[in-house]
């Protein structure tokens, strides 16, 4: 009872010993060989490639990873690459910073990243390039100039379906819009472009609502819109929601009267296919998960020491073309190819190796 | 008398268990990661450790007082978004942002302390409730991720001085801050109140005020954690700290501090936090497929918690 139950000396000794061990460890680091085989330059084949993906909740992301692994296997057979390190988990920006640090510490030569944030990874990207690692952002461009963005033009993607819808409903037609998430960079770019198209074509946009890129939410939002705006001629929506929008319009019995801009996913195309007999038409612009594959081709070229041709890169952004669009004339062809896939499957496309090589000098 | 000796030995044993876990974690990590001792790997590892180390020290103080603060992660989030809104990329405003973050941490801690000590609500429930208040406020302050921290701050955080990473120096500074606090009367009162509140009361220790102080100090370290997170990410995020809460409790337990209060110290929690972060590294370098990582991570943490508890078990048997 004499002693207070206070931390004993053993504690302090333990803590101090641990700190000293770590300090020594830190100081000895300078004697290291400066490791990491990331040191740039051309032709150090085989290359190690890292993928950082911070969201796994969708089939699209699964396709992205699977497609990359398949393309990687081809390079691997040729001895051009040796290892693909995949960091893929649902995580926040902090977690994705950790993912990228892990890849850097793994000594990869290039990192392909589908970023969770436009800006918040800039500091860790600089760590990567500081270690001589090439970084490629896909799906979502980032602000960091250390990174090469390999993305489709989201504005162009939106313009194609908006122009089609504007032509269908004609000047003076009334449309409602089911967008993704307000404030999300991709959503803003898409809607900005689509809105211009509608204004130029004299189409009235009655209202804009958010469907969170989710089929169930899209369906619910569309049901509400139908009740609020009886005089709708058309609806413009983004990918991931067209199936829900279709079901809402179908439930209201108005498939013949309301034109729907669709998506290049199997679930929607199945509904589209069934409704075609009654004269239903739509459009699906491909937003390819294969962007990761295009980025892999670019990464190999860059690691080989190739320089981007001056016309193919704008600042640090390389825009890859939208692979193709599913419409009335091409429906049979693409439905024949993809009809056997699951409903969540996105029609896909990526640059071939030869096409990617054309982006370089 | 023998009881006292056993007790002392028990505390030493649990300290040893924590240090042993650190040594094992470092050894396993180093063997799996060939460049573990390279300067970049060390710098980036320490940069990852600091936020968790800071919040673990804060949680330790609250736990020592016999409480538990489930809102610490939300406090980290709130302090970080307030700071990032104020600093907005300008180095001139950084001192102001630091002051604001500290102010937010102290205010949140004071509110928790008042709710627990004066209204006498159960700490777990009370701080669980305030965590929603704080994370809700964070969403109001910064609805979508954004804002930027001055380039100089993020760069300095990754730098090293004479070969020693700045982040390691920050961890040492946190430990020193704890050692200074521990010599202060308030911390002696915290130990007394956490060990036996009635006895402390009888010895004229101001129990309620001491409890409030414990939460206020917890909030202070949450704010320091927020500043480390900002320096690490360089940008604000309204959800950034929330995952830290339970990790901080795990770090405290791995560090050998008794959840019942009154016994232990933040030195162990610092090591516990580092062990937790190293476990995540080890799982990556052991090539555990991503789908299984959370599962394995959870299992290893359970193991670590069990190991940290063994000395206490032996002590009970001896007594």
């Amino acid at each position: 009872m004499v002693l207070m139950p206070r931390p004993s000396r053993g504690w302090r000794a333990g803590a101090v010993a641990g700190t000293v061990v770590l300090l020594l460890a830190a100081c000895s680091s300078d004697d290291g060989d400066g490791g990491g085989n990331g040191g740039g330059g051309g032709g150090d084949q085989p290359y190690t490639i890292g993928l950082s993906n911070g969201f796994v909740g969708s089939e699209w992301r699964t396709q992205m990873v699977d497609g990359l692994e398949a393309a990687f296997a081809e390079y691997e057979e040729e001895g051009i690459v040796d290892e693909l390190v995949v960091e893929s988990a649902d995580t926040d920006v902090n977690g994705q910073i950790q993912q990228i640090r892990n890849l850097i510490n793994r000594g990869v030569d290039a990192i392909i990243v589908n970023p969770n944030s436009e800006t918040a990874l800039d500091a860790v990207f600089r760590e990567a390039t500081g270690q001589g690692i090439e970084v490629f952002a896909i799906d979502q461009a980032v602000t960091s100039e250390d990174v090469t963005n390999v993305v489709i033009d989201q504005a162009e993607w939106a313009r194609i379906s908006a122009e089609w819808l504007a032509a269908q409903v004609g000047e003076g037609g009334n449309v409602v819009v089911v967008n993704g998430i307000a404030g999300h960079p991709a959503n803003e770019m898409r809607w900005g472009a689509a809105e211009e198209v509608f204004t130029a074509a004299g189409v009235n946009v009655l209202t804009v609502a958010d469907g969170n890129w989710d089929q169930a939410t899209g369906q619910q939002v569309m049901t509400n819109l139908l009740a609020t705006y009886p005089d709708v001629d058309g609806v413009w929506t983004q990918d991931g929601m067209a199936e829900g929008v279709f079901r809402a319009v179908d439930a209201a019995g108005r498939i013949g009267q309301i034109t729907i801009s669709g998506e290049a996913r199997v679930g929607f195309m199945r509904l589209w296919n069934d409704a075609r007999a009654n004269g239903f038409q739509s459009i699906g612009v491909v937003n390819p998960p294969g962007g990761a594959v295009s980025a892999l081709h670019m990464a190999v070229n860059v690691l080989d020491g190739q320089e981007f041709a001056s016309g193919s890169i704008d600042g640090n952004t390389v825009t890859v073309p939208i692979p193709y669009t599913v419409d009335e004339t091409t429906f049979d062809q693409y439905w024949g190819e993809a009809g056997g896939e699951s409903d969540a499957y996105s029609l896909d496309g990526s640059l071939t190796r030869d096409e990617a090589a054309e982006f370089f000098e | 008398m023998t009881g006292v000796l056993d007790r002392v030995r028990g505390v030493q044993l649990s300290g040893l268990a924590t240090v042993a876990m650190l040594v094992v974690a470092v050894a396993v990590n180093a063997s799996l990661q060939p460049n573990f001792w390279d300067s970049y790997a060390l710098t980036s590892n320490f940069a990852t450790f600091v936020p968790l180390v800071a919040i673990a020290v804060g949680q330790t103080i609250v736990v020592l007082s016999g409480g538990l603060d489930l809102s610490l992660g939300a406090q980290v989030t709130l302090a970080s978004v307030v700071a990032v809104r104020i600093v907005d990329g300008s180095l001139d405003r950084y001192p102001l942002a630091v002051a604001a973050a500290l102010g937010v941490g102290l205010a949140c801690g004071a509110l928790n302390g008042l709710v627990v000590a004066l209204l006498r609500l159960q700490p777990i429930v009370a701080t669980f409730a305030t965590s929603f208040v704080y994370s809700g406020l964070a969403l109001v302050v910064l609805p979508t991720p954004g804002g930027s921290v001055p380039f100089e701050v993020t760069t300095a955080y990754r730098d090293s001085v004479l070969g020693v990473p700045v982040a390691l120096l920050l961890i040492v500074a946190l430990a020193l801050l704890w050692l200074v606090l521990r010599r202060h009367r308030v911390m002696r009162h915290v130990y007394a109140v956490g060990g036996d509140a009635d006895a402390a009361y009888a010895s004229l220790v101001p129990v309620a005020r001491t409890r409030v102080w414990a939460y206020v100090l917890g909030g202070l370290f949450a704010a320091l954690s927020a500043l480390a997170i900002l320096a690490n990410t360089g940008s604000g995020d309204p959800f950034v700290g929330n995952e830290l809460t339970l990790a901080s409790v795990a770090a405290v337990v791995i560090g050998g501090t008794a959840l019942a209060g009154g016994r232990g110290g933040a030195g162990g929690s610092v090591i516990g936090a580092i062990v937790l972060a190293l476990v995540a590294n080890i799982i990556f370098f052991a090539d555990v497929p991503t789908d299984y990582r959370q599962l394995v991570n959870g299992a290893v943490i359970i193991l670590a918690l069990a190991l940290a508890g063994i000395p206490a078990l032996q002590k009970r048997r001896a007594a």
Side-chain angles (χ1 to χ4, degrees), chain A residues 5 20 56 97 168 202 205 236 254 277 300 322 338 347 359:
Chain A
V20 168
V56 291
I97 287 175
Q168 295 289 313
V205 176
W236 186 78
R254 301 183 63 188
V300 170
I322 291 164
L347 273 69
F359 282 76

Side-chain angles (χ1 to χ4, degrees), chain A:
Chain A
M1 290 305 290
V2 194
L3 292 175
M4 282 272 293
R6 275 179 46 190
S8 72
R9 281 175 190 286
W11 253 117
R12 249 179 282 174
V16 170
T19 316
V20 168
V21 167
L22 291 168
L23 264 169
L24 287 176
C27 298
S28 72
S29 69
D30 286 342
D31 309 333
D33 55 1
N37 49 358
D44 283 338
Q45 293 182 357
Y47 308 123
T48 304
I49 310 284
L51 171 72
S52 164
N53 172 38
F55 176 66
V56 291
S58 76
E59 173 77 11
W60 196 94
R61 297 287 181 120
T62 313
Q63 260 180 263
M64 179 187 86
V65 177
D66 291 350
L68 181 66
E69 283 173 344
F72 188 87
E74 285 179 26
Y75 278 115
E76 197 174 9
E77 276 177 21
E78 297 167 32
I80 296 172
V81 295
D82 57 358
E83 194 186 3
L84 178 67
V85 187
V86 176
E87 280 276 82
S88 178
D90 262 327
T91 186
D92 57 6
V93 166
N94 237 353
Q96 195 161 26
I97 287 175
Q98 192 53 43
Q99 285 188 347
I100 293 169
R101 284 197 174 138
N102 284 340
L103 294 174
I104 298 171
N105 281 324
R106 197 60 173 263
V108 299
D109 298 293
I111 294 174
I112 298 171
V113 54
N114 191 333
N116 276 11
S117 163
E118 218 182 346
T119 54
L121 299 167
D122 288 5
V124 79
F125 288 149
R126 189 165 302 119
E127 290 177 24
T129 49
Q131 301 291 309
I133 297 170
E134 302 287 345
V135 184
F136 299 85
I138 54 170
D139 193 23
Q140 157 81 59
V142 296
T143 54
S144 169
E145 287 170 9
D146 301 318
V147 174
T148 309
N149 296 310
V150 181
V151 291
I152 63 165
D153 183 348
Q154 298 288 353
E156 174 67 15
W157 182 89
R159 214 172 283 130
I160 295 172
S161 57
E163 277 168 357
W164 175 85
L165 182 66
Q168 295 289 313
V169 299
E171 193 171 346
N174 295 320
V175 299
V176 293
V177 172
V178 181
N179 268 340
I181 297 172
H184 190 287
N187 186 72
E188 298 307 303
M189 257 188 281
R190 289 171 171 188
W191 173 231
E195 194 174 20
E196 272 177 28
V197 169
F198 293 134
T199 310
V203 170
N204 303 320
V205 176
L206 298 178
T207 190
V208 179
D210 280 358
N212 299 345
W213 285 304
D214 174 72
Q215 302 289 3
T217 315
Q219 181 169 355
Q220 194 183 349
V221 166
M222 190 62 208
T223 305
N224 294 345
L225 291 178
L226 285 170
T228 321
Y229 300 95
D231 297 329
V232 172
D233 302 311
V235 49
W236 186 78
T237 186
Q238 300 178 16
D239 54 345
M241 299 173 290
E243 191 182 336
V245 167
F246 182 101
R247 289 186 194 282
V249 174
D250 192 30
R254 301 183 63 188
I255 281 295
Q257 304 153 26
I258 298 179
T259 312
I260 303 171
S261 80
E263 65 191 15
R265 296 192 185 190
V266 168
F268 177 77
M269 287 174 71
R270 196 181 306 285
L271 297 172
W272 182 355
N273 188 42
D274 293 343
R276 282 179 90 206
N278 304 324
F280 176 77
Q281 296 195 4
S282 191
I283 189 167
V285 187
V286 172
N287 175 17
V293 175
S294 304
L296 175 65
H297 296 321
M298 303 267 176
V300 170
N301 273 295
V302 169
L303 290 172
D304 279 341
Q306 305 286 330
E307 297 276 341
F308 279 104
S310 56
S312 65
I313 186 162
D314 176 20
N316 59 331
T317 298
V318 180
T319 305
V320 294
I322 291 164
Y324 52 88
T325 297
V326 184
D327 58 19
E328 232 10 75
T329 54
T330 57
F331 185 89
D332 288 323
Q333 178 198 342
Y334 294 122
W335 180 241
E337 288 168 12
E341 300 282 351
S342 75
D343 275 7
Y345 181 84
S346 299
L347 273 69
D348 203 352
S350 57
L351 296 177
T352 64
R353 283 156 80 165
D354 290 341
E355 284 166 348
E358 283 170 21
F359 282 76
F360 294 85
E361 277 178 350

Side-chain angles (χ1 to χ4, degrees), chain A residues 1-12 14-15 17-19 22-23 25-30 32-36 83 85-89 91-94 97-107 117 119-124 126-128 131 182, chain B residues 4 7-8 11-12 14-15 18-19 22 26 33 35 37-42 44-48 146 151 154 158 162-165 168 172 179 182-183 188 191-192 229 232-233 235 237 239-240 243 255-256 262-264 267-268 271 274 281 284-285 287 290 293:
Chain A
M1 290 305 290
V2 194
L3 292 175
M4 282 272 293
R6 275 179 46 190
S8 72
R9 281 175 190 286
W11 253 117
R12 249 179 282 174
T19 316
L22 291 168
L23 264 169
C27 298
S28 72
S29 69
D30 286 342
D33 55 1
E83 194 186 3
V85 187
V86 176
E87 280 276 82
S88 178
T91 186
D92 57 6
V93 166
N94 237 353
I97 287 175
Q98 192 53 43
Q99 285 188 347
I100 293 169
R101 284 197 174 138
N102 284 340
L103 294 174
I104 298 171
N105 281 324
R106 197 60 173 263
S117 163
T119 54
L121 299 167
D122 288 5
V124 79
R126 189 165 302 119
E127 290 177 24
Q131 301 291 309
Chain B
V4 171
R7 191 173 220 172
V8 172
V11 173
Q12 278 174 334
S14 74
T18 310
V19 174
L22 176 67
V26 169
Q33 181 185 347
N35 60 350
W37 302 108
D38 286 359
S39 70
Y40 172 74
L42 282 172
S44 67
N45 271 338
F46 281 113
T48 311
F151 170 74
T154 55
R158 294 162 163 72
L162 301 175
V164 182
L168 172 58
V172 172
L179 289 179
R182 228 197 59 177
R183 285 168 196 283
R188 288 210 301 277
Y191 274 103
I229 284 189
N232 193 21
T233 60
S235 177
D237 185 319
F239 298 102
V240 74
E243 285 179 9
R263 265 186 300 121
I271 298 178
I274 294 175
N281 267 2
F284 168 74
F285 284 102
D287 280 330
T290 43
R293 267 192 222 162

